[in-house]
Amino acid sequence: MKKQRVIVFLPAHNEEEAIGDVIRRIPRHFHPDVEVIVLVIDDGSTDRTAEVAKEAGADIICRLPENRGLGAAVRRGLEECVRLGADIGVMIDADNEYPPEQIPDLLAPIFTGEADYTIGSRFLGTIRGMKWHRRLGNYLFTWLQSLLLGQRLYDGQSGMRAFSRHAMEEAEIIHDYNYAQVLTLNLVRKGFRLKEVPIRYQVRTTGRSFIKFTAYMTAVIPAIWKEMRRPVKKVAVDREGHGRSQERARHCS
């Protein structure tokens, strides 16, 4: 039986203190029919993020020449997963707030055909230690996404997600600053099935978050408005997209 190729990609900007631990904790051999590859999208880091990632076991490093933003890094990660022949792509933040050990939990609904797109939900799992203003912001933006989609969501801002190949091929992120809201709005509006999976959350202890309240509000709200105003066609969702055979590329350009 052909192994399913799972590519775990980490968008990272100046995460030398945390990224090594995240990569070392990614499960590589949780099933004999699954091949796991680790890809790092280094978004113009000025520290040793790329070197530390390689030392920790990352298979592929894509280094962007300048810092373009989290949305741009995630867009590139999805593109590379498709180009490298992933059957399923997994995104996890490099800041060590999300549990790499739970990647198999995130994959399960896609492997079993229950979902095309999964989100690791801190609010269905644990959010102990999350600062009150971040918790409030999560509640507000998740409520807004739920309202726009007519579908109950619990954690619309999670930095841990998985995608079938078809979902990756169709995903559109319309701005560079962030991806969280517009990506979910885009995929669900196109007909992809979303499932949230409970995960454990821990507060980051290294580095600094890229999120600044004023910049977040002025960038994300207009992007949500733009995404919802533009026409999006429903796609014929390929329920077996994660199992299709693809040519295997071995390098990142």
Side-chain angles (χ1 to χ4, degrees), residues 63-229:
R63 303 186 75 161
L64 307 185
E66 60 184 16
N67 179 228
R68 294 182 55 200
L70 183 56
V74 173
R75 186 189 306 118
R76 179 63 180 272
L78 293 169
E79 290 169 353
E80 290 300 321
C81 284
V82 171
R83 191 182 68 83
L84 292 163
D87 297 301
I88 300 179
V90 179
M91 190 212 79
I92 185 168
D93 281 354
D95 58 13
N96 220 0
E97 289 192 355
Y98 297 87
E101 296 84 2
Q102 287 195 258
I103 286 174
D105 299 334
L106 210 62
L107 293 170
I110 300 178
F111 276 133
T112 59
E114 297 175 58
D116 313 293
Y117 171 42
T118 58
I119 295 177
S121 175
R122 298 161 292 180
F123 290 85
L124 288 177
T126 60
I127 55 169
R128 186 169 50 251
M130 184 183 288
K131 294 179 180 179
W132 69 267
H133 63 278
R134 287 194 63 187
R135 190 177 300 200
L136 179 61
N138 271 279
Y139 282 137
L140 290 174
F141 275 108
T142 299
W143 172 81
L144 178 58
Q145 289 175 81
S146 298
L147 182 67
L148 292 173
L149 292 173
Q151 176 177 334
R152 178 68 185 273
L153 300 178
Y154 292 88
D155 191 356
Q157 280 62 246
S158 174
M160 187 173 179
R161 306 177 183 221
F163 311 81
S164 71
R165 182 176 181 88
H166 194 190
M168 290 190 289
E169 290 171 338
E170 294 288 343
E172 296 176 282
I173 299 173
I174 61 172
H175 69 143
D176 288 348
Y177 182 76
N178 196 11
Y179 68 93
Q181 298 82 17
V182 294
L183 180 55
T184 295
L185 293 172
N186 182 261
L187 287 176
V188 174
R189 290 171 69 211
K190 287 178 176 176
F192 290 99
R193 298 164 300 163
L194 166 63
K195 183 177 177 64
E196 291 185 86
V197 177
I199 60 168
R200 302 178 301 274
Y201 166 80
Q202 66 178 27
V203 179
R204 70 182 294 156
T205 57
T206 62
R208 293 185 302 171
S209 172
F210 85 98
I211 294 174
K212 301 294 184 290
F213 179 78
T214 302
Y216 198 82
M217 296 296 285
T218 56
V220 172
I221 290 179
I224 291 174
W225 175 252
K226 181 179 177 181
E227 172 63 35
M228 293 304 296
R229 280 178 57 86

